[in-house]
Amino acid sequence: MVVKVYGPAFASPKRVIACLIEKEIEFETVPVDLLKGEHKDPEFLKLQPFGTVPVTEDGDYVLYESRAIIRYYAEKYKSQGTDLLGKTVEERGQVENWLEVEAHNFNPPIYALTLHLMFASKMGFPPDENLIKESEEKLGKVLDIYEERLSKNKYLAGDFFSLADLSHLPFTQYLVGQMGKEYMITSRKHVSAWWDDISSRPSWQKVLQLYAPPF
């Protein structure tokens, strides 16, 4: 069964696609233009009642939270492709720990920066300069913690690439690309080396090649 991924132009669906490529899982994509409000169409809301992307359809099995999706496919196909969960319970614990860090510490400020620096004008509201400044400061503090962690480990969960690293790819790509804030990564030696490593993986390069950002 081919997995359908909705909304490939946007960041969170790219998280899912990178995972599927790493796991060597066959998939196809379905465009959803958030800027045109297609995520609010009644047919789409039948799949995703909260009206966001991604959504995955695997036969009649539907998921729509990107981190839940990558956990599911990394577990379902654990013996196929790249092992993204670790080989021991302890390694899995670290993967889960840093996935939670990404979701609750890293993502809120970088999402705010993405919204106000990249999407505000397209969505018809003015960027909040105070929020931008505050979010950059918060993200900087998170990255300082990452710098300490990555001074002792090649990857966030240990010496192996995992979902914890993969989950950072889409929004960090915005940070160093369209947002023009690459200095937040390059000014931190170990974070910079980590980013160079994970962003050069063939899976992520394929995602960037196949699915351009929405503008």
Side-chain angles (χ1 to χ4, degrees):
M1 190 70 69
V2 176
V3 179
K4 284 185 181 180
V5 183
Y6 288 74
F10 295 90
S12 293
K14 286 185 169 75
R15 178 183 287 127
V16 172
I17 294 168
C19 175
L20 295 177
I21 294 171
E22 289 280 352
K23 297 305 296 179
E24 301 173 3
I25 298 167
E26 190 176 356
F27 68 92
E28 60 186 33
T29 58
V30 182
V32 180
D33 192 334
L34 274 62
L35 299 176
K36 292 181 179 177
E38 291 177 359
H39 57 304
K40 300 300 183 184
D41 287 351
E43 285 304 307
F44 184 77
L45 291 173
K46 289 179 184 177
L47 288 174
Q48 212 310 23
F50 298 102
T52 61
V53 293
V55 175
T56 56
E57 276 188 295
D58 192 347
D60 59 1
Y61 187 71
V62 176
L63 291 173
Y64 49 72
E65 288 293 337
S66 64
R67 294 172 191 84
I69 294 167
I70 64 175
R71 284 176 166 107
Y72 170 74
Y73 283 105
E75 183 67 53
K76 182 176 181 179
Y77 296 94
K78 192 168 184 359
S79 61
Q80 177 177 311
T82 307
D83 183 354
L84 298 170
L85 295 172
K87 292 180 171 58
T88 66
V89 172
E90 289 73 22
E91 288 180 349
R92 176 67 178 268
Q94 288 295 338
V95 173
E96 294 292 346
N97 183 73
W98 286 95
L99 267 173
E100 292 296 309
V101 170
E102 184 273 325
H104 300 293
N105 299 92
F106 179 87
N107 191 68
I110 203 168
Y111 181 83
L113 288 171
T114 300
L115 187 63
H116 286 267
L117 290 172
M118 291 179 57
F119 286 90
S121 60
K122 305 287 189 301
M123 298 175 72
F125 63 88
D128 185 329
E129 296 300 332
N130 288 331
L131 181 60
I132 290 169
K133 181 181 178 183
E134 178 185 309
S135 297
E136 184 167 338
E137 289 173 356
K138 286 181 178 178
L139 182 60
K141 290 177 181 177
V142 173
L143 290 172
D144 287 342
I145 294 169
Y146 280 38
E147 179 70 6
E148 171 66 17
R149 173 69 177 176
L150 292 165
S151 71
K152 299 171 183 175
N153 300 275
K154 185 176 181 181
Y155 299 104
L156 288 171
D159 63 359
F160 60 99
F161 178 77
S162 75
L163 291 182
D165 308 292
L166 180 149
S167 196
H168 289 80
L169 284 164
F171 284 97
T172 309
Q173 190 71 50
Y174 282 163
L175 187 75
V176 304
Q178 291 96 321
M179 281 193 255
K181 293 187 178 292
E182 189 175 10
Y183 59 85
M184 295 194 72
I185 300 298
T186 57
S187 64
R188 295 168 172 88
K189 175 184 174 182
H190 299 289
V191 170
S192 184
W194 167 75
W195 173 249
D196 287 346
D197 183 319
I198 68 172
S199 64
S200 65
R201 291 183 70 84
S203 61
W204 186 242
Q205 290 301 308
K206 186 173 182 179
V207 170
L208 296 179
Q209 177 187 351
L210 291 175
Y211 306 106
F215 49 83

